[in-house]
Amino acid sequence: TTEIYTLSLHDALPIYLPAFVTAILSVIILAGCASSGGDVKRQDFQMSSLAKNDIDMVAETHQQVVFASLRELAVKLYKRNPREWKKDGNKCLEDAVAALSADPFPSVEGKTSIDCIRLAFDEEFRGDRVKAFVAGLETMVLNSYDGHRRFYVYNMLDAQKLYNSARNIELASWLIRTKHDSNNTLFLLSSDEGGKMNVGIERLFGKMINAQDMMAQIMADRTNRTIKNVLQSLVMAFIPI
């Protein structure tokens, strides 16, 4: 079963809010006053910021952390599985990662989210397994944020979706370490010599799980709702988002 780590809103927000308040004040000051020195560039004030509260900014930051981690994960997996990025006719690894990180995120064989992740471990699939794995995680996480990349005061995210997405990331992490084909070969190599998962890859999964769990707890506190803890066996299916 998975272990659940949660922080209360009281514990979580002090970590983030001072930095955001400082950032907002800095933008306003820079927007209203021209810099007298050559080292500070004037920033354009974004009117959309007036429709945001601190939690909206926290949500955007957490989401950006996850997507940046997925981009880094794609690089690491492509380096260990170079045959994969070549399957779509990419000229280099960088092109494959750029296409994978494009907005909107790509689908694979018309599949997104959980269905796309499953393709990475389907023996009949002949396409780019790294793309299927990462694009599936990208779109699954985006679904947990109701498909939004920008958040405003009227956006009320579902804490349960965010929590469930963290459990799905845990399951994906377990599958990539353990799932073998009929020849007893890992579908995707993510380990160092000796079979232990690469520390950098393990760290990225941990960062994504923590970000989603933190955001789930913040939204649960904001909406005064209880998250249903899912005692998920690692051999069970992904949780729909």
Side-chain angles (χ1 to χ4, degrees):
T1 59
T2 57
E3 296 181 2
I4 311 304
Y5 299 92
T6 59
L7 292 175
S8 69
L9 182 60
H10 176 74
D11 294 325
L13 291 185
I15 299 174
Y16 298 93
L17 295 191
F20 282 116
V21 171
T22 301
I24 293 169
L25 290 175
S26 298
V27 170
I28 294 173
I29 292 171
L30 289 172
C33 304
S35 173
S36 58
D39 295 331
V40 179
K41 294 183 179 180
R42 177 172 175 163
Q43 300 291 328
D44 292 330
F45 177 68
Q46 300 294 323
M47 291 299 296
S48 60
S49 297
L50 297 177
K52 295 178 183 292
N53 59 28
D54 293 320
I55 295 179
D56 297 323
M57 296 181 185
V58 169
E60 288 181 5
T61 298
H62 278 69
Q63 187 191 74
Q64 290 164 9
V65 165
V66 176
F67 290 156
S69 297
L70 284 169
R71 182 185 177 93
E72 189 176 346
L73 177 64
V75 172
K76 291 181 179 296
L77 290 178
Y78 274 136
K79 286 182 177 179
R80 285 165 176 74
N81 305 271
R83 67 186 181 278
E84 300 301 326
W85 64 259
K86 300 175 183 178
K87 290 180 178 179
D88 276 0
N90 294 295
K91 294 181 179 180
C92 61
L93 182 154
E94 290 75 16
D95 286 351
V97 174
L100 190 51
S101 305
D103 184 11
F105 294 131
S107 61
V108 180
E109 295 190 350
K111 299 181 185 296
T112 60
S113 190
I114 292 167
D115 292 334
C116 192
I117 299 172
R118 291 193 184 108
L119 279 179
F121 307 104
D122 183 347
E123 196 145 10
E124 300 300 318
F125 179 59
R126 295 292 179 263
D128 182 343
R129 295 185 186 276
V130 172
K131 180 179 180 180
F133 186 76
V134 175
L137 286 170
E138 287 174 333
T139 47
M140 187 272 295
V141 169
L142 188 61
N143 288 346
S144 75
Y145 287 90
D146 293 332
H148 300 302
R149 288 176 178 264
R150 296 290 181 268
F151 303 96
Y152 303 97
V153 291
Y154 51 80
N155 292 126
M156 297 298 289
L157 298 176
D158 187 325
Q160 192 67 51
K161 286 183 181 180
L162 293 161
Y163 171 87
N164 290 348
S165 70
R167 308 288 72 75
N168 285 341
I169 296 172
E170 287 178 337
L171 180 53
S173 172
W174 179 78
L175 287 172
I176 202 172
R177 293 195 313 267
T178 62
K179 193 70 171 176
H180 294 74
D181 62 18
S182 57
N183 296 319
N184 201 33
T185 302
L186 285 168
F187 283 100
L188 286 172
L189 183 63
S190 63
S191 58
D192 291 326
E193 294 181 7
K196 185 177 181 180
M197 177 175 271
N198 174 267
V199 173
I201 292 177
E202 190 172 16
R203 176 184 59 80
L204 290 173
F205 277 114
K207 182 186 293 186
M208 291 186 288
I209 292 164
N210 288 338
Q212 292 299 94
D213 271 335
M214 175 71 77
M215 204 58 232
Q217 189 62 53
I218 290 173
M219 293 310 302
D221 289 342
R222 183 185 191 187
T223 58
N224 197 29
R225 293 185 178 181
T226 302
I227 297 173
K228 296 179 181 178
N229 292 339
V230 180
L231 300 179
Q232 181 186 25
S233 170
L234 290 177
V235 297
M236 289 177 60
F238 289 101
I239 307 169
I241 303 297

